Amino acid sequence: YWLMKSEPSCFSIDDLKRSPKGIASWDGIRNFQARNLLRDQIKRGDGVLFYHSSIKEPAIVGLAKVVSDGYPDATALDPKSEHFDPKARPDHPIWFMVDIQYITGIDPPITRETLRFHPDLMDMDVLIKGNRLSVQPVTPKQWKAVVNIAGIFDPL
């Protein structure tokens, strides 16, 4: 299971929902630690907590699932993309992405306040001061707690 952060002004849970078949690429990641997770550890079928960041009340706003293993991020090769990397080459990919599919929104969103005070969630990576990583591991216990708080039958 994973938590993936996005600024809703850039890409929101609603944007994912509106994507064809609710599927979109999780691209543009330019942090080596997050890249390694996308390339090496995140696998098709994994669950995703979709987290809105850089807003007044950052929160988990939905659930998604990974529908592809990691593959080279094509935006790194596109000079017109804001994620272009001149060091990347088709025969030498530097950056990776996965595709995710919308499962459901969470209303009301699960705020950091709720995460901090729930006994199974208070140690989530997203709560560590200074942790700005956009892709983070989530334990099965944390996933189950979020699904329970949201009042959703576990979709995975």
Side-chain angles (χ1 to χ4, degrees):
Y1 302 101
W2 306 94
L3 181 139
M4 294 184 176
K5 290 190 208 175
S6 182
E7 296 177 16
S9 61
C10 178
F11 189 77
S12 71
I13 189 72
D14 291 331
D15 293 328
L16 178 60
K17 183 179 181 180
R18 285 190 296 267
S19 298
K21 297 184 182 178
I23 297 173
S25 298
W26 199 263
D27 61 19
I29 302 301
R30 297 298 181 265
N31 171 286
F32 285 104
Q33 188 176 356
R35 183 271 321 255
N36 292 348
L37 295 173
L38 292 165
R39 183 189 65 197
D40 303 332
Q41 293 186 33
I42 298 175
K43 299 297 179 198
R44 182 179 304 137
D46 288 354
V48 174
L49 301 177
F50 198 110
Y51 184 90
H52 280 173
S53 62
S54 298
I55 56 174
K56 185 176 179 181
E57 280 198 89
I60 298 170
V61 296
L63 302 179
K65 69 178 176 180
V66 178
V67 293
S68 75
D69 292 341
Y71 61 97
D73 185 341
T75 66
L77 302 172
D78 181 359
K80 295 177 184 169
S81 171
E82 65 183 281
H83 303 295
F84 175 65
D85 184 340
K87 294 178 185 170
R89 299 187 321 264
D91 63 331
H92 178 68
I94 299 171
W95 305 109
F96 285 75
M97 61 186 184
V98 296
D99 296 334
I100 64 170
Q101 183 173 32
Y102 176 88
I103 294 175
T104 188
I106 295 176
D107 190 22
I110 301 172
T111 64
R112 292 174 62 87
E113 184 88 7
T114 300
L115 298 176
R116 275 192 194 99
F117 290 105
H118 191 287
D120 292 334
L121 301 174
M122 56 180 24
D123 62 347
M124 288 183 79
D125 287 356
V126 73
L127 297 175
I128 297 171
K129 191 170 186 146
N131 187 345
R132 298 180 43 82
L133 201 58
S134 60
V135 178
Q136 303 173 3
V138 170
T139 68
K141 185 176 180 181
Q142 292 165 343
W143 173 268
K144 287 177 185 165
V146 168
V147 168
N148 287 336
I149 291 168
I152 299 169
F153 179 77
D154 191 342
L156 302 179

